[in-house]
Amino acid sequence: MKITKISPAVKTAGRYNVFVDEEFSFSLDESQLVKLGLRNGQEFSAEELAELKSESDFGKNYIRAVDLISRRLRSEREIRDYAFRKQWTKENTARVIERLRERGYLNDAKFAESFVRSRANLRNFSRRKMELELMKKGISKNIIGEILSESDEFDESAALQKLIAKKRTHYTDERKLIAYLMRQGFSYDDIKSNLK
């Protein structure tokens, strides 16, 4: 098998289509193309072609993961879940996650900090609800405990007071308001002391 043509991809800037024996075979980004040293007329075996196609998939998957993270920080579990939905190979998923970690794009502690900061400012979350949300995102209990104890932005008491002020007019029966607040993860004692 021989590379017969390498040309810039029409739809994706920075990617190059590689044709083997006059037929499109795979595409690579510019850095992969240079790193692998591919050129017209180069020959290789079926195993080497399979490796190149795997490298192509890795490049595409990595760019998709970076695109996701560029929109908002993600936890490692979110990237793994995305990879599973998109049916990436286990090998490529592991490589993408490793590369994201190396470059500092994937860090569960930074994700948890950002998550707590945004929820503390936008929503009136209880500590328990914050912990549950972070656990759903795959953050370890150690990281969650550390982030919540160190965060200057997360104030459960202030969140409870804001939520009471916001919801008090919606509930004519105080017991229903208490039940609602408990479902939001606040403790009964804290609710009672703030309702006075």
Side-chain angles (χ1 to χ4, degrees):
M1 291 180 236
K2 181 163 64 171
I3 295 177
T4 52
K5 181 179 169 187
I6 299 174
S7 64
V10 176
K11 292 182 181 176
T12 311
R15 282 197 78 78
Y16 289 83
N17 295 330
V18 179
F19 293 79
V20 175
D21 297 334
E22 304 295 333
E23 291 186 11
F24 173 78
S25 185
F26 56 90
S27 67
L28 297 168
D29 68 37
E30 192 169 359
S31 63
Q32 289 175 305
L33 193 65
V34 171
K35 180 182 168 189
L36 295 169
L38 298 184
R39 61 192 181 286
N40 281 332
Q42 188 173 353
E43 294 186 15
F44 36 72
S45 66
E47 293 82 26
E48 290 170 322
L49 180 61
E51 285 177 26
L52 290 170
K53 286 183 178 183
S54 177
E55 190 66 25
S56 171
D57 288 342
F58 165 72
K60 290 176 195 172
N61 297 344
Y62 177 73
I63 292 299
R64 287 184 183 122
V66 169
D67 183 50
L68 274 177
I69 291 171
S70 71
R71 290 185 234 151
R72 76 160 173 82
L73 289 180
R74 308 281 171 159
S75 69
E76 184 174 320
R77 177 179 287 167
E78 288 178 304
I79 296 296
R80 285 189 187 282
D81 289 347
Y82 177 80
F84 179 77
R85 285 191 312 273
K86 296 297 183 180
Q87 300 178 340
W88 296 358
T89 65
K90 286 183 181 179
E91 178 188 295
N92 272 340
T93 300
R95 283 184 69 198
V96 166
I97 286 172
E98 185 60 32
R99 174 80 56 89
L100 292 170
R101 278 194 207 130
E102 285 171 4
R103 302 234 167 126
Y105 299 149
L106 192 60
N107 181 318
D108 280 353
K110 284 182 183 175
F111 169 80
E113 266 180 53
S114 172
F115 185 90
V116 168
R117 190 178 325 111
S118 70
R119 295 312 185 273
N121 291 328
L122 298 175
R123 298 184 187 157
N124 301 312
F125 271 28
S126 65
R127 180 182 178 95
R128 186 167 156 249
K129 189 165 185 177
M130 193 80 77
E131 288 171 349
L132 288 172
E133 290 292 319
L134 285 167
M135 284 169 48
K136 283 182 193 173
K137 305 265 185 207
I139 307 303
S140 74
K141 287 184 178 184
N142 292 340
I143 292 174
I144 293 169
E146 189 178 313
I147 296 300
L148 288 176
S149 64
E150 292 177 0
S151 176
D152 296 333
E153 310 217 13
F154 179 66
D155 183 353
E156 186 176 40
S157 178
L160 176 57
Q161 290 169 5
K162 285 180 196 172
L163 197 55
I164 288 172
K166 181 179 177 184
K167 295 293 183 178
R168 188 169 245 159
T169 57
H170 297 297
Y171 292 92
T172 54
D173 184 351
E174 188 173 277
R175 289 177 300 168
K176 289 185 178 182
L177 175 59
I178 291 171
Y180 166 78
L181 294 169
M182 287 181 69
R183 284 192 305 274
Q184 299 309 306
F186 296 100
S187 75
Y188 179 78
D189 292 338
D190 289 344
I191 294 167
K192 284 302 277 184
S193 64
N194 278 280
L195 280 174
K196 293 177 181 176

